[in-house]
Amino acid sequence: MAADENEGPGRGEDLIILVPSGRTIRAAIGVTIREALQQGGVPLAGSCGGEGRCGECRVRFVDRPPAPTGADLSALDSAEIEGGWRLACMHVLRGTVAIEVREAAGELDQKAKANAGAVASSISPEVSSREVCLDPASAGDPTAMAVRLRGAAGDKITVPLIALQRAASLIQSGSSIRSVIERQGEILDVHPCGAYEIHGLAVDVGTTTLGARLFHLPSGRQLAVAASRNPQCRFGADVISRIAHVRRGGSEGLSQLQEAAREGINALLEQLTSRAHVPGDSVYAVSVVGNPTMLHILLGVDPRGIDVSPYAPAFSEGVECRAREIGLAIHPHAVVRTLPAISAYVGADVVAGILATDLVGSGGRRLFLDVGTNGEIVLTVEGRLIACSTAAGPAFEGASIAQGMPALEGAIEAVRVEGNRVRCATVRDAAPRGICGSGLVSAVAELRRAGIIEPSGRFAARTGPLSDRLDGEGKRRRFRLTDGGESVYLYQSDVHEFQLAKAAIRAGIESLLREADLAAGALDGVLIGGAFSARLDAEHLVAIGLLPPVDVSRVRMAGDAAGRGAMLVLLDRKSAADARRIADRAEYVELSADKRFSDLFIEYLSLSLCA
């Protein structure tokens, strides 16, 4: 919690002063700087859960930096150490300290740049507003208020307690009821003004990022969109580490993760309603997508079982609850619906992507990839819908990369090597601050093409053009991508992380193609979802071997397909039924039981260029 700047710290507490803003955070002496910052609401990267392995939680001690730990020396170069940079998870608060934090500036790129005027083709939401006319009782008509309300709204409609309480309060205050908010024969709320404006929320709970869109339900018009880093990242970068946190902490560990998810969604909700100038309690419907682990945690359902054979989730169908049950800061009786999953590792986000891209309805032989911390792959061929999942890791979302970051302002999202020059495009054309997932793919592909990276993934010897940009040794060997200002580097360890992620995705693709006895060249199309896909280059993906050798004209970037699928279900009740049919129809291929997968994975670690 932020401290009052006029108050001193309490007993057993001290202050962190953030530079250059001057904001102060009060925290207990003995907690790590990382914990203190997170408790104070300061976003800080850290995909290893505070164990000093990822090197992401960098802060600069303005005065008297502590002695570097082994983790500091491993993650930071000598210039950074000399400049006072340290890992926040490796140092505890021992007294008032001034530090600089590279806070996230701006919004996540593609999730937060989604078309703000988007409208679904069919608008038929489950929740609607209807005008009625219900005045206070009179001597001539002492009929019970609930009876009169049903008469005004429909004799077969249900009036639950929360709506009854609200209606009675309005009537007893002398107000009339002029509109009801209803959903499938049930009244959710009543209001004293006619044609009350109601809103809905579509949420994508990603392992690394959260995305949310706010809609005007009657028209389907998108009012605002926002995205952020998932606060659960402080407990680990992937679903396995999140489940491990539950294994260690039991119900308390699950509660911590659920609270982090709730905290992140409610923060986005506050941004959205503020931008759209609408009250939070006017949100009456929410559709949520995400992988099974994320949805289990959001709903407070123990996810243990997903991470061990036979990989059985507690639920795979869509779940419906009320906002108050999971602590969302909207109307307490709002309907929250999650989409169904295909398996423990192919979740509602993939079902939403299939729905949004019309993968099934369009026919043909098409491949759909949802590339994120988990890589889900779906193939439709000859009437079959086949799916698998691979552990791609967080590299494609900017985590596990030395100077990696989500697609925030200043993140390098595309790289071009032209002769002796390296050109970097950044989010919002801001000064480079780090590198996000699409930038990683682009950088590796371009440097491989230029001969800076060898087929093995190692940086080449320092000869030829651009060799002056190389320095360091071993895992700390690196290539400077930027000129002037803050230097951003691609490290040898980053290339290795890319190889692991790329090999996992490609081996999964080849496994599905073999399952269907289909050659890559026979594919009619390849669709790539995930917010980071918008800036990917199809030629890079094929050349570097992340995709099989297909005609690049057949590759299409589907962008935030999961978010669009969540929108469809929110705005059109038919889409919810379509999502159920997709999940029921899909065949799941368990790659851990496929002996060929390991061989394929090793084969595709190479960065041999595809002609």
Side-chain angles (χ1 to χ4, degrees), residues 60 94 154 240 299 373 398 463 574:
R60 185 175 71 87
R94 301 190 186 280
I240 300 302
L299 298 176
T373 305
T463 57
K574 176 182 173 294

Side-chain angles (χ1 to χ4, degrees), residues 409-420:
E409 184 175 309
I412 294 174
E413 57 182 354
V415 175
R416 288 289 177 186
V417 175
E418 301 169 346
N420 293 331

